[in-house]
Amino acid sequence: MNYKRFYLYVLGLSVLFIPSGLMAVQAVKQKPLTIQEQGSFAVGGTVIKNDGTFDPRKPANPAGQSFHGDHAYVFYQKPVNARKLPIMFLHGAGQFSKTYETTPDGREGFQNIFLRRGFSVYMVDQPRRGNAGRSTIAANLTPTPDEQMWFSQFRVGVWPDYFPGVQFSKDKETLNQYFRQMTPNTGPFDVGVISDALAALFDKAGPGILVTHSQGGGPGWYTGMKSDKVRAIVAYEPGSNFTFPEGEVPAPIPNTFAKLSGVAVPLAEFKKLTQIPIIIYYGDNIPDKPSDIPAQDYWRACLEMANNWANLVNKYGGDVTVVHLPNAGFKGNTHFPFSDLNNVEIADHLSVWLKKKKLD
Amino acid sequence: MNYKRFYLYVLGLSVLFIPSGLMAVQAVKQKPLTIQEQGSFAVGGTVIKNDGTFDPRKPANPAGQSFHGDHAYVFYQKPVNARKLPIMFLHGAGQFSKTYETTPDGREGFQNIFLRRGFSVYMVDQPRRGNAGRSTIAANLTPTPDEQMWFSQFRVGVWPDYFPGVQFSKDKETLNQYFRQMTPNTGPFDVGVISDALAALFDKAGPGILVTHSQGGGPGWYTGMKSDKVRAIVAYEPGSNFTFPEGEVPAPIPNTFAKLSGVAVPLAEFKKLTQIPIIIYYGDNIPDKPSDIPAQDYWRACLEMANNWANLVNKYGGDVTVVHLPNAGFKGNTHFPFSDLNNVEIADHLSVWLKKKKLD
């Protein structure tokens, strides 16, 4: 009995033992989820109000009318006998809560995996994205073909080639689902607006664990500084907006994709991130040395920035762990470890850490 | 024991018996939901492809790149021992799947209610809305204050007054949630694109019952004509795009809001809608006679159009029932009967109809 089979066995799952490559197309009968409560709500945001008086006979006249926007949208599920701390999931750039739902090849994502492990889950669409589309700032949306860029940027491979051994199913429908799990910004990306809405979510839902992905990493650090109800942060491949104390921001890290700078915050704010355990994960196929492929080179710079940041937080008494997955025995992970073919093992690694930090 | 209490009792629910006005802020402990399977996927849509060759060293150049868009996004849940036919839920204008989730005042919507009654549920975001935001047609989004219009248009009242006896909670947070459950179009509303994606959903998920709301009524009729897997249609307050046979389209119905015309389709297509049972619901506070309040007058015209349409479908051998809720003993319903304060009773009415039509 190998590790994976044993793991499924101890969870009491009824599964067909089939080659993992066939998992996507085979019916895998799992135990039912028992949900004590589920629902959705908007949280945070602001209101625009026009002067004047609304005239119900002239409903198209905006005088005296209001506009609620910039909230997050959240769908939550609480399993029966839930663990004390829920997990709040924030997506990355171009993505929405789907990131953590069914994987592109049709398996369970972290939403179901952590529900099965007894955690309440809060799936967030950040302000101005997906179901939280009502933005107080205008936007022009243009359908610009860009998916070969994302295929490379998300380190599935360098289009049209998949990385050897990549943890990503090569069937056509997987790629179709993967591209369709993107959705545009309906207003400017704004770290402040997003972290305000997330802090409001923690106020409403109570203390919890924040999981972020990619561009969501920045709003995650800010949420950790804004809310004392963030009890831990788990960041998958954070990119821009690492926060450093004023006067200690490192030089930008050169790379062939985009400028990567730290962001200055007051030392007192920065120190709040020393009060909670933090774990940061990066996947495979990140080059050691500068590369002329921008999609790879950027993540080299981010990993370096993450290590710099972790060292400084830890110097101030913090508890940050950076896991470069290939060094921990996980090969072939993309920018989305939580939905990769080995996502159960990736979840296991997190479960061990949560237990170690007494967060479960 | 009144009807409502008795109903909850027979479902075996553990509830606190409290005045309904307090329901929004009181914890109501329900039996757990047992979910055999849940997940999400994109369905339908199209692909734009640019000529040329993608150069991974110039990722911002769209040459050789693709764009997947115009799909629907669907989150589904299948209860243990699900009934044979699932229910597919399509929202209306300015809305997304939230329409059928938690109500603005915090109670369970049709998603949970029909899960509890044993139906699998498919919650749809139509192409170019919400989580299905990737549109192949460009859009400009502008935050125009318009909520007092919607308050009236959705017949909560005529701003700032609530209708007397309206089935809508008057606390401030309810209105906040109500306005924030809107999200903009990220591309033009297109009946053909939406019904194509819905037909693809029925192809994927198998035969089922289609529930539509408001503007979603039009795509619903087209889906019923495109897919023989639509086994029934339940339309809450359908608006534009009633389909009539060529040569039998009635004159537009004058009203003070917008032009309301039928749409011509080939007779053979129209006749497909005579092959399935259809029920159409309208709420309260729709005037009998022309009104100078456009938000009310429009629904008077829609109800008249629905009756005309039902008569014609039935003349051709169809099975359409139009329920004007006040005539059936339900007072105070808004444009959203499925999330109104009496939504359990509204669901009961539907359950009785589904049973009568052998759809459960």
Side-chain angles (χ1 to χ4, degrees), chain A residues 68 73 101 140 146-148, chain B residues 68 73 101 134 140 147:
Chain A
H68 289 61
Y73 161 82
E101 297 173 359
N140 292 330
D146 59 0
E147 290 166 345
Q148 285 61 32
Chain B
H68 288 60
Y73 162 81
E101 296 173 0
R134 211 156 158 90
N140 292 331
E147 290 166 346

Side-chain angles (χ1 to χ4, degrees), chain A residues 29-50 54 56-71 73-77 80 96-98 101-103 108 111-112 115-116 125 129-150 152-153 158-160 173 175-177 179-187 204 257 292-295, chain B residues 29-50 54 56-71 73-77 80 96-98 101-103 108 111-112 115-116 125 129-150 152-153 158-160 173 175-177 179-187 204 257 292-295:
Chain A
K29 184 115 173 169
Q30 300 257 31
K31 275 184 73 173
L33 294 159
T34 53
I35 308 295
Q36 185 61 59
E37 185 187 334
Q38 69 175 22
S40 62
F41 54 83
V43 68
T46 188
V47 183
I48 298 173
K49 279 181 185 163
N50 272 339
F54 174 69
R57 283 162 193 81
K58 294 176 184 168
N61 181 347
Q65 299 211 54
S66 65
F67 182 98
H68 289 61
D70 294 353
H71 47 268
Y73 161 82
V74 181
F75 180 73
Y76 71 94
Q77 294 181 292
V80 171
F96 60 101
S97 45
K98 175 81 173 92
E101 297 173 359
T102 303
T103 66
E108 292 198 329
Q111 176 184 38
N112 286 11
L115 268 173
R116 292 189 186 285
D125 286 353
R129 187 80 58 78
N131 284 338
R134 210 156 158 91
S135 163
T136 62
I137 309 285
N140 292 330
L141 308 189
T142 310
T144 306
D146 59 0
E147 290 166 345
Q148 285 61 32
M149 182 270 279
W150 290 117
S152 310
Q153 192 69 24
V158 177
W159 184 270
E173 177 58 13
L175 209 53
N176 180 52
Q177 290 291 326
F179 288 147
R180 294 186 189 280
Q181 79 178 40
M182 303 202 73
T183 201
N185 282 322
T186 56
K204 179 183 171 72
F257 176 70
D292 65 344
I293 306 287
Chain B
K29 183 116 174 167
Q30 299 257 32
K31 276 183 71 173
L33 293 159
T34 53
I35 308 293
Q36 185 61 59
E37 185 187 333
Q38 69 175 24
S40 62
F41 54 82
V43 68
T46 188
V47 183
I48 297 172
K49 280 183 183 162
N50 271 339
F54 174 68
R57 282 162 194 82
K58 294 175 184 168
N61 181 347
Q65 299 211 54
S66 64
F67 182 98
H68 288 60
D70 293 353
H71 47 270
Y73 162 81
V74 181
F75 179 72
Y76 71 94
Q77 294 181 291
V80 171
F96 59 101
S97 43
K98 175 81 172 95
E101 296 173 0
T102 303
T103 66
E108 293 198 328
Q111 177 184 38
N112 286 10
L115 268 173
R116 292 189 186 285
D125 285 353
R129 187 79 59 78
N131 284 338
R134 211 156 158 90
S135 163
T136 62
I137 309 284
N140 292 331
L141 307 189
T142 310
T144 305
D146 59 1
E147 290 166 346
Q148 285 60 31
M149 183 269 281
W150 290 116
S152 311
Q153 192 69 25
V158 177
W159 184 269
E173 177 58 13
L175 209 53
N176 181 51
Q177 291 291 326
F179 289 148
R180 294 185 188 281
Q181 77 178 40
M182 301 202 73
T183 201
N185 282 323
T186 57
K204 179 182 170 72
F257 176 70
D292 65 345
I293 306 287

Side-chain angles (χ1 to χ4, degrees), chain B residues 250-302:
Chain B
I253 300 179
N255 70 90
T256 54
F257 176 70
K259 189 177 177 183
L260 184 67
S261 309
V263 183
V265 297
L267 178 61
E269 289 301 303
F270 175 81
K271 280 187 171 174
K272 292 180 183 172
L273 295 174
T274 67
Q275 302 302 306
I276 55 172
I278 294 171
I279 190 164
I280 300 175
Y281 289 98
Y282 287 90
D284 205 347
N285 295 302
I286 297 176
D288 292 332
K289 294 170 186 169
S291 161
D292 65 345
I293 306 287
Q296 288 186 268
D297 203 42
Y298 181 63
W299 299 113
R300 176 191 58 76
C302 289

